[in-house]
Structures are given as structure tokens and as C-alpha cells.
Amino acid sequence: MRKLIVVLIFLLSFPFFLYLTFPIERFVENSLCHQKISCKKVEVRRLPLKVELDDVKLSFLPFKLDKVIINPQVSSLLSEEKRFNVLARVCGGILKADANYPVHSVKFKLEKLRVENCLKKSSLPFSISGVLFGGGTLSFAKNSLVGGSGNFKLQNLKLRKIAFGLLSLPSADIGDVKVTYKVKRKNVVDIDVKGKGKDARLSVKGYVNLNVRQIERSYVNLRVKLTPYVEPFKGQTFSFRIKGFLENLSFK
């Protein structure tokens, strides 16, 4: 009987000690390298399982993630589909997401992201600032975006150094702006933006043809309408179109 108990204890404890000695750090680093993801530091906590990454750079994003904490669902590690949730500090705010790997579906939420921190390399003919909240869903199949929708609120949107054609303003306070998106078909995302503040009214409609592997190669086609409430353009509506790849936009 005693021998049987010893055998049972060994059988029950073996997976636990195997888990404690498994080189998870090396596995994570190899996985990141395979996905072309670089980071300054990788730290793995085993009980409970948690992966922490510092200064994460993704090849398809123009900004870095200051801190990423990944909490895998241990029960899914031995299954074909792994599930995990993510908490990241990015653009001065917080990103929360629930996803699976291989990636098929993502549910995310954004809190207090500073837009100006995410658009430092933007080629827009004005500077932009504001705080972004909201969330949505994304669905993927065969490395393509095939579904999803979401709603955002851009608080205290301000445009500065506006210079486009006849329109020239030092700044414009647009106030709170509502942004919605919906995936209409494979890699095509419809965009709708509406805002009205003390200095102007803003409307944006159009679509983005998303390049999942290289975001900067995504094609943008947006119609923008801006109606200032300040002189010398008070009451006039200016319309222009933003077209081209994200890395080289044109304004007509």
C-alpha cells in the first residue's frame, strides 16, 4: 500500500515538476523571433503562468508597446488552440485583449490612449491630439481580416497648424468625436467619424483596405468634411479626400 501511495504521488507530481523545469523563456523568445517581434526583456513567472515583455516592437506598427503582460489559459496549453489575455501599456494608455493562437478572434478594449503618441510618424498636414477610449472585435482567417466591428470615443480632439488649400487655421477644437468601424469584406474596413466642438464640425467617411502583414502598406480612401465655426471661415464647409498608402498619403 505504501509503495502504491509513493507511485501515485510521483505520477501526480511529475507533470508539476516538469512544468517548473521546462525552458519556457527560451520557447517564448524563439516564438517571438519567428513572428518577427523584438523586445528588450522577457520575463516568465510560472505560478501563476505569466509572460512579461518590455519595449515590444512589432514590424507592422509604427509605435512600440512599452509593457506587455500575457496571461495564457493553462488549461488550453495542451490543446490545438491556445487562449490568452493581454494587458499592454501603449501610447500612454492601456490595451486589454482576449485572443487565441493561432489567431482567429480578438476582443479588445482601449483606455486613455494618447493619439499624438501613436501618430508621431503621421504624414497628415496638421497635428492632432486627443484621448481614445473604446473597443471592438476582429476575426481572422488565413492571415486575412474577415470580420469585426467596434466603437470608439475620441475625447478633446484638437487639430493644430491646419494648412490645406485655402483653409488655414492655427487650431480647431473638435470636442468629443465618435468613431465606428465595421469589416465589410475581406481586409476592407468601413470608417465613420462624427464630431462637433466649439471651433468646428468634423465628418469622415470611407474605408481602409488593410494590409495585415504591413500596416503602413494599408490603402486609405476617406472623404473629410470640416466646417469651422471661427473666422475667417465661419460657416464654410471644406471637403477633401485622403487617399493612398498610410506611409505616403495624398490630400485632394
Side-chain angles (χ1 to χ4, degrees):
M1 184 63 179
R2 183 177 297 177
K3 291 183 178 180
L4 178 59
I5 293 175
V6 172
V7 172
L8 288 174
I9 293 175
F10 173 78
L11 292 176
L12 291 174
S13 61
F14 179 75
F16 176 73
F17 287 108
L18 180 63
Y19 165 71
L20 291 180
T21 57
F22 184 78
I24 301 177
E25 290 87 350
R26 186 181 302 173
F27 174 78
V28 172
E29 291 172 354
N30 289 339
S31 298
L32 293 174
C33 182
H34 180 70
Q35 297 295 326
K36 297 181 180 180
I37 299 173
S38 63
C39 63
K40 186 176 181 180
K41 180 182 177 182
V42 177
E43 183 178 351
V44 177
R45 299 183 182 182
R46 296 173 184 265
L47 294 173
L49 181 58
K50 181 187 295 185
V51 179
E52 297 186 9
L53 311 174
D54 291 341
D55 293 336
V56 181
K57 295 181 180 179
L58 306 175
S59 59
F60 55 86
L61 290 180
F63 50 84
K64 71 175 183 178
L65 287 71
D66 300 316
K67 183 83 171 183
V68 178
I69 300 175
I70 304 171
N71 292 286
Q73 294 184 8
V74 178
S75 59
S76 70
L77 293 180
L78 297 179
S79 62
E80 184 176 350
E81 181 182 281
K82 281 71 174 176
R83 301 220 41 103
F84 58 92
N85 57 65
V86 177
L87 176 65
R89 292 204 305 264
V90 54
C91 298
I94 298 293
L95 163 67
K96 298 178 181 179
D98 295 314
N100 53 11
Y101 185 84
V103 179
H104 298 300
S105 63
V106 178
K107 183 178 181 181
F108 67 92
K109 183 178 180 180
L110 306 177
E111 299 177 0
K112 298 182 180 179
L113 266 69
R114 303 293 309 187
V115 176
E116 60 270 28
N117 292 349
C118 293
L119 298 177
K120 288 181 178 179
K121 297 182 179 180
S122 172
S123 57
L124 296 173
F126 48 79
S127 64
I128 180 173
S129 65
V131 184
L132 186 64
F133 296 81
T137 60
L138 299 168
S139 298
F140 298 89
K142 297 180 180 179
N143 295 319
S144 296
L145 180 64
V146 295
S149 61
N151 298 279
F152 304 97
K153 184 177 182 180
L154 186 52
Q155 291 185 342
N156 301 319
L157 175 62
K158 290 182 174 63
L159 307 180
R160 294 182 175 87
K161 299 179 181 179
I162 304 170
F164 181 79
L166 298 176
L167 178 61
S168 178
L169 291 172
S171 65
D173 187 340
I174 312 297
D176 291 347
V177 175
K178 181 180 179 182
V179 182
T180 61
Y181 77 88
K182 186 177 181 62
V183 179
K184 300 298 290 185
R185 59 184 184 275
K186 181 178 176 180
N187 290 332
V188 177
V189 184
D190 277 5
I191 305 292
D192 185 54
V193 180
K194 294 180 180 178
K196 184 178 180 181
K198 68 176 184 178
D199 292 339
R201 181 175 69 246
L202 174 68
S203 172
V204 181
K205 288 182 177 292
Y207 68 89
V208 176
N209 195 334
L210 189 66
N211 187 321
V212 178
R213 294 185 178 275
Q214 292 180 289
I215 298 298
E216 70 275 8
R217 295 295 297 168
S218 298
Y219 185 80
V220 176
N221 191 335
L222 301 173
R223 170 67 71 181
V224 181
K225 291 184 179 181
L226 183 66
T227 304
Y229 295 152
V230 294
E231 299 295 350
F233 305 105
K234 185 176 181 178
Q236 300 181 49
T237 297
F238 293 85
S239 297
F240 57 94
R241 189 174 292 277
I242 302 175
K243 297 181 69 174
F245 296 104
L246 278 176
E247 61 185 0
N248 187 26
L249 295 173
S250 65
F251 300 79
K252 299 179 179 179

